[in-house]
């Protein structure tokens, strides 16, 4: 069967890889800013940046037993993320004015990481729930590790739609395939829809309902 | 040799599995309440619930190299724990009156997780110390992960006997076998004794002695 | 080719193993003091001690897929570190006067762990960047896990040179080999230089420059 978007589907692997590189650099830069808010030294900035950018994929691979990890095969990613973090520290005053660029790059990273994580689990022929979870871990866990290392309640659980965007992106990617799209053709559809959802959530401050609970159990 | 409690030993696998299902649901519900105390959104509530309920077993499997993980084989456990968390958020006012039910279910979970963790390490033919540690990680690590994600000093290290109950449960399970009980027959003995110890510790506020230390090193 | 320091190189494996044992005991003892500052109970003290002393190597092995983990093969290390932690709690008033002994033992541990971590990755024939990172994870991650479990921003990222010492030690170990030293001969060189750097950093309060960043993005 002819895929509906042949041109899009052909460029999907290259598109995803490019977005992946953009995303790890962007995640490293926002992580460096987080580390700077905690007055960390430059070594700490680099470590937090690498953990944030590559930690989601690493956690996924460890949980799925998918060895070797990405940065073991591609150690250049460690240099890219560490270098991006140092650059961020050097030109921090400029960074301060680039908030919307960061948010866009981070949103791109979220959806690209998610689709890549889904693909890894698909290649391992895991059940569909695990494919979705694999996408979510890849997309979101790096930021959770960053917040844990910076001793904060993870933002993920408290702010605008984020993990939900990852779930929607993964569901669209899988749903597209079950509707007859090829895996490659489903990629740009899921990426575009997920990105739009995240940007709309940021613009209009869409949040999941919160569960606020108090008791006197302690 | 005839096992001393043939009827008990025959139902041990089914008993353990039932307790396991009760336990992951109970852990998910208490985790949801923890997340609610931190005003997390519903997605965060689900994630914290899954991590708490399934994180101890996952950490054990990752540390022992015991792949694939339980929830990769049984993704329905993810739906059960996530669903239990949502239900908890929906009927939180009722939950507030069920403290003793939660404490009982959590205690059941602690001892059931512990015995299951010991069995996994036994099947891998690991040394006896590692079998005990495997039980303890399975029983306790989920709660530690929950507290780390909620940015709290883990309760495990500060309150009534908990990790100690896990060690005692594991030791009784192994000790029973070395005294001639079959593995299946040792299960209900260890479960009952561990459960009793935990409930007594809660009732009479039994705690380990604390190590309180201050210096002016910094 | 004759190694430049034949006598040193012959004793390197035994030296490293001795330093490793000294190091896990020392790490366990400082971790016990950290736990005591948080009023943890004795079980918590033991757990924090084991995680701190053995966690760096465990994280390395999990990330590299290098199974089975050290303490699974050598469960006696769990008893050594747990026992050292209990001893520390018992004679804490004496410990308070031994700050410089602790700092020295911790520095020995840092460099010994680093070299051991590099060797593990070398034996797995991993790229040189990954060898360095493997050394750094082995040397530093235990302390990070301790701080996360004690709910503190990891010291690693904020105080005197620590992770940097690990990187320098690993670089000297690898650099020595690329200059023609045998792996065994490069060990004492890297250990001595790394140890000296760490002690000088402590003595003169050498720190990496800090990245201090504030914005009003939230």
């Amino acid at each position: 069967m002819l895929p509906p978007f042949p041109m899009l589907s052909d460029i999907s692997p290259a598109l995803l890889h490019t977005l992946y590189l953009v995303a790890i650099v962007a995640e490293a830069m926002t992580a460096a800013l987080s580390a700077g808010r905690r007055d960390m030294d430059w070594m700490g900035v680099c470590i937090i940046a690498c953990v944030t950018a590559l930690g989601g994929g690493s956690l996924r691979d460890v949980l799925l037993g998918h060895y070797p990890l990405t940065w073991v095969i591609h150690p250049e990613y460690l240099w890219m993320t560490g270098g991006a973090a140092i650059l961020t520290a050097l030109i921090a005053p400029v960074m301060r004015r680039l908030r919307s660029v960061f948010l866009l790059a981070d949103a791109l990273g979220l959806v690209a990481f998610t689709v890549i994580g889904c693909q890894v689990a698909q290649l391992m022929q895991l059940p569909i729930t695990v494919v979705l979870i694999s996408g979510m871990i890849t997309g979101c866990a790096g930021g959770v590790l960053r917040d844990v290392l910076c001793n904060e309640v993870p933002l993920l659980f408290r702010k605008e739609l984020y993990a939900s965007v990852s779930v929607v992106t993964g569901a669209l990617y899988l749903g597209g395939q079950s509707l007859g799209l090829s895996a490659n053709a489903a990629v740009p559809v899921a990426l575009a829809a997920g990105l739009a959802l995240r940007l709309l959530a940021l613009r209009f401050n869409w949040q999941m309902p919160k569960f606020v609970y108090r008791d006197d159990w302690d």
Side-chain angles (χ1 to χ4, degrees), chain A residues 25-38:
Chain A
V25 167
E27 297 296 326
M29 295 176 94
T30 54
L33 297 183
S34 281
R37 287 190 200 100
R38 291 274 166 173

Side-chain angles (χ1 to χ4, degrees), chain A residues 40-210:
Chain A
M40 289 192 186
D41 67 31
W42 287 40
M43 196 76 195
V45 168
C46 282
I47 295 172
I48 296 281
C50 289
V51 169
T52 306
L54 304 169
S58 298
L59 181 61
R60 173 203 66 216
D61 287 343
V62 164
L63 290 174
L64 300 183
H66 179 254
Y67 290 101
L69 272 56
T70 308
W71 52 268
V72 172
I73 308 174
H74 294 287
E76 67 272 20
Y77 294 170
L78 294 163
W79 293 101
M80 283 173 57
T81 48
I86 293 293
L87 183 72
T88 305
L90 286 173
I91 59 168
V94 180
M95 294 295 165
R96 200 174 279 122
R97 274 177 280 154
L98 299 178
R99 190 184 179 200
S100 47
V101 177
F102 274 117
L103 286 175
L104 176 62
D106 177 77
L108 276 170
L110 172 63
V111 294
F113 283 167
T114 298
V115 170
I116 290 169
C118 290
Q119 291 182 335
V120 167
Q122 274 185 313
L123 284 173
M124 297 178 74
Q125 303 190 296
L126 297 174
I128 195 165
T129 303
V130 178
V131 171
L132 272 176
I133 298 286
S134 173
M136 201 168 73
I137 292 171
T138 312
C140 304
V144 174
L145 289 172
R146 176 197 60 213
D147 292 339
V148 167
L149 288 178
C150 292
N151 199 20
E152 287 167 9
V153 176
L155 266 183
L156 171 63
F157 306 143
R158 293 179 299 133
K159 299 270 286 185
E160 300 90 359
L161 300 186
Y162 199 92
S164 328
V165 170
S166 181
V167 172
V168 169
T169 305
L172 286 172
Y173 171 69
L174 292 174
Q177 288 174 260
S178 74
L179 290 175
L181 290 189
S182 73
N184 277 343
V187 168
V189 176
L191 288 178
L195 185 62
L197 178 59
R198 171 68 182 154
L199 294 180
L200 287 169
L202 282 169
R203 174 72 185 80
F204 297 106
N205 195 25
W206 288 348
Q207 309 204 352
M208 292 278 283
K210 284 201 167 43

